[in-house]
Structures are given as structure tokens and as C-alpha cells.
């Protein structure tokens, strides 16, 4: 009985860890996501196939949103980009490599990626988010509603939204490390780089904010070109550099 219990516990632990789902735009295999050779060529297909505990590894390339509502990440799935397409560990990636998730094609979407109530341990690491265009939508590059999220080595560039053009956080506990926020623009609202509303926590470490804008429009004053957070959010910042954020 004790041996059986150990076996069941070990099996359960392996199930929680999940599998790796591979994405590579140039893959020519069976496109089932089981290896770099047989990787999905569509990022959206990988999101649809992933299950809680899985990791999606995405090779360098450009992956366009499937609709104007962008990509929707499934619960409990971490996303890693910046792979060449031969790695067997996330530690083999170069920090300068980022896989490109874009709202540019075939239209300019409202948002690139949305997460709903991500579970503790959920990670987004090694992506470029760009290309959104909307007047009144909350969130451009990334929107996280509830839950806990860690974002590492991501670039949010040239996103235009109503508010939270780079990133929109609602009732979320979020950590950003080694990220860049460049040229994100709020049409009418707050938080050119990051907007955090409701309650939660936001920790920003070694991040760079450059030329993000929250403008005044129709008499509505935009607040926080770099970061805007409501009073319900606990804020921590270390090693943050801001340049020309209005």
C-alpha cells in the first residue's frame, strides 16, 4: 500500500508539472506541438492545446493575433519565448531574443494577450508585444484580470489603447523584471506603460520606461505616462529608469 501511495504521489506530481508545447513558425513536421520539429506553427493553436501545468515554448518569429480580441492564455499555462528552436531548457536562451506577438496583422487589434485569473507560478518570459490600436479598450499589449503573474524580459512597444496601453492590470498581483516599455500611448485614460486598477500588488525591478504617453483628450486628463496605479495597489520599484514618459 505504501509503494502504491508513493507511486500515485509521484504520478500526481508529474501531472502538475505538465508538458512542453512547442511553437515554431517555420516547423515542417506534424504540427502537434510535441517537439521543435513537430511544433505548432500557430501560437493560437498552441494556446488551444495547452493544459494547466504546461509550458508553451515559442521560437523566434512573428505570431499575429487571430482576431481583434487577441490571444487568450489558458489557465495555469506559462509562456516562454526567445528560443532559436533547438533548446532543451529555458536557460539556453539568449536574453536578447524575444518572440514577437503582434496585433498588426491582418488588422490592428484591441489587445495582444489576455490572462484571466492566472494561477500562482504563471510566467510570461521572452516576448515582444506590439501593434494594438484602439480608442477606449483597457490594455494594449497585455491585460491581466485577477490572479498572480510574473513577467520577465518582455518588451512592450508601440501599443495604443484607451488606457493601460502597454499593460493593464485589474485586481492582480504582478511582478515585472528586466522589461522595457517603449512608445506606448493612451488615447484617453491612464497608464501609458502600465495601468493597475482595483487592488493588488505591482513590483517592478530593473525595468526601462521610454516615451510612454497618457494624453489629455476631450477634457479628460491622462495620468501616469510610465505607471498609473490606484490606491488599492501596493507598489514596489527597484532599478527603474524612466525617460521622457509624460
Amino acid at each position: 500500500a505504501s509503494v502504491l501511495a508513493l507511486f500515485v504521489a509521484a504520478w500526481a506530481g508529474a501531472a502538475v508539472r505538465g508538458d512542453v508545447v512547442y511553437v515554431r513558425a517555420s516547423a515542417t513536421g506534424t504540427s502537434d506541438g510535441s517537439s521543435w520539429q513537430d511544433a505548432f506553427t500557430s501560437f493560437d493553436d498552441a494556446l488551444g492545446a495547452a493544459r494547466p501545468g504546461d509550458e508553451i515554448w515559442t521560437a523566434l518569429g512573428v505570431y499575429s493575433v487571430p482576431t481583434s480580441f487577441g490571444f487568450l492564455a489558458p489557465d495555469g499555462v506559462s509562456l516562454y519565448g526567445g528560443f532559436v528552436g533547438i533548446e532543451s531548457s529555458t536557460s539556453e536562451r539568449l536574453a536578447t531574443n524575444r518572440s514577437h506577438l503582434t496585433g498588426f496583422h491582418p488588422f490592428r487589434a484591441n489587445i495582444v494577450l489576455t490572462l484571466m485569473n492566472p494561477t500562482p507560478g504563471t510566467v510570461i518570459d521572452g516576448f515582444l508585444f506590439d501593434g494594438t490600436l484602439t480608442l477606449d479598450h483597457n490594455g494594449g499589449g497585455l491585460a491581466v484580470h485577477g490572479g498572480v503573474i510574473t513577467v520577465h524580459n518582455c518588451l512592450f512597444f508601440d501599443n495604443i489603447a484607451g488606457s493601460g496601453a502597454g499593460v493593464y492590470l485589474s485586481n492582480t498581483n504582478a511582478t515585472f523584471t528586466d522589461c522595457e516599455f517603449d512608445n506606448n500611448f493612451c488615447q484617453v485614460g491612464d497608464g501609458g506603460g502600465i495601468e493597475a486598477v482595483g487592488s493588488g500588488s505591482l513590483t517592478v525591478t530593473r525595468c526601462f520606461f521610454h516615451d510612454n504617453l497618457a494624453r489629455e483628450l476631450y477634457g479628460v486628463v491622462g495620468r501616469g505616462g510610465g505607471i498609473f496605479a490606484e490606491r488599492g495597489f501596493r507598489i514596489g520599484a527597484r532599478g527603474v529608469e524612466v525617460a521622457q514618459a509624460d
Side-chain angles (χ1 to χ4, degrees):
S2 59
V3 174
L4 177 60
L6 288 172
F7 172 78
V8 171
W11 178 85
V16 169
R17 285 195 296 272
D19 297 322
V20 173
V21 179
Y22 296 87
V23 184
R24 185 163 64 96
S26 60
T28 58
T30 59
S31 193
D32 61 8
S34 61
S35 67
W36 286 124
Q37 179 178 346
D38 297 320
F40 289 111
T41 57
S42 161
F43 186 74
D44 196 51
D45 287 347
L47 293 175
R51 297 295 178 261
D54 287 351
E55 296 178 354
I56 296 178
W57 291 13
T58 307
L60 296 173
V62 180
Y63 304 90
S64 300
V65 294
T67 71
S68 62
F69 298 104
F71 298 112
L72 178 62
D75 293 341
V77 174
S78 289
L79 311 176
Y80 293 89
F83 295 92
V84 174
I86 58 174
E87 297 89 343
S88 58
S89 169
T90 57
S91 63
E92 297 176 40
R93 297 171 299 161
L94 295 177
T96 52
N97 287 349
R98 292 177 175 130
S99 301
H100 188 177
L101 304 181
T102 185
F104 266 121
H105 179 75
F107 33 69
R108 291 199 74 169
N110 292 338
I111 194 164
V112 177
L113 177 66
T114 300
L115 289 86
M116 304 296 295
N117 296 307
T119 56
T122 301
V123 174
I124 300 174
D125 183 336
F127 290 94
L128 159 63
F129 299 84
D130 79 345
T132 61
L133 175 59
T134 179
L135 174 63
D136 55 5
H137 194 276
N138 293 326
L142 172 67
V144 185
H145 299 268
V148 181
I149 188 70
T150 297
V151 183
H152 177 256
N153 190 33
C154 288
L155 168 60
F156 300 88
F157 173 71
D158 191 30
N159 295 287
I160 301 173
S163 61
V167 174
Y168 176 80
L169 305 172
S170 175
N171 300 307
T172 303
N173 294 308
T175 300
F176 290 81
T177 307
D178 297 319
C179 291
E180 300 176 56
F181 300 81
D182 191 1
N183 200 38
N184 300 287
F185 177 41
C186 286
Q187 296 266 37
V188 50
D190 304 319
I194 300 175
E195 181 183 29
V197 302
S199 62
S201 63
L202 171 61
T203 301
V204 182
T205 303
R206 296 190 305 275
C207 291
F208 178 59
F209 293 80
H210 177 257
D211 272 352
N212 300 286
L213 175 67
R215 74 171 180 177
E216 179 179 354
L217 184 66
Y218 306 134
V220 179
V221 178
R223 299 169 293 180
I227 299 174
F228 174 81
E230 292 184 345
R231 291 182 178 179
F233 260 79
R234 301 182 305 277
I235 304 296
R238 180 188 301 174
V240 174
E241 183 177 350
V242 179
Q244 300 176 357
D246 298 321

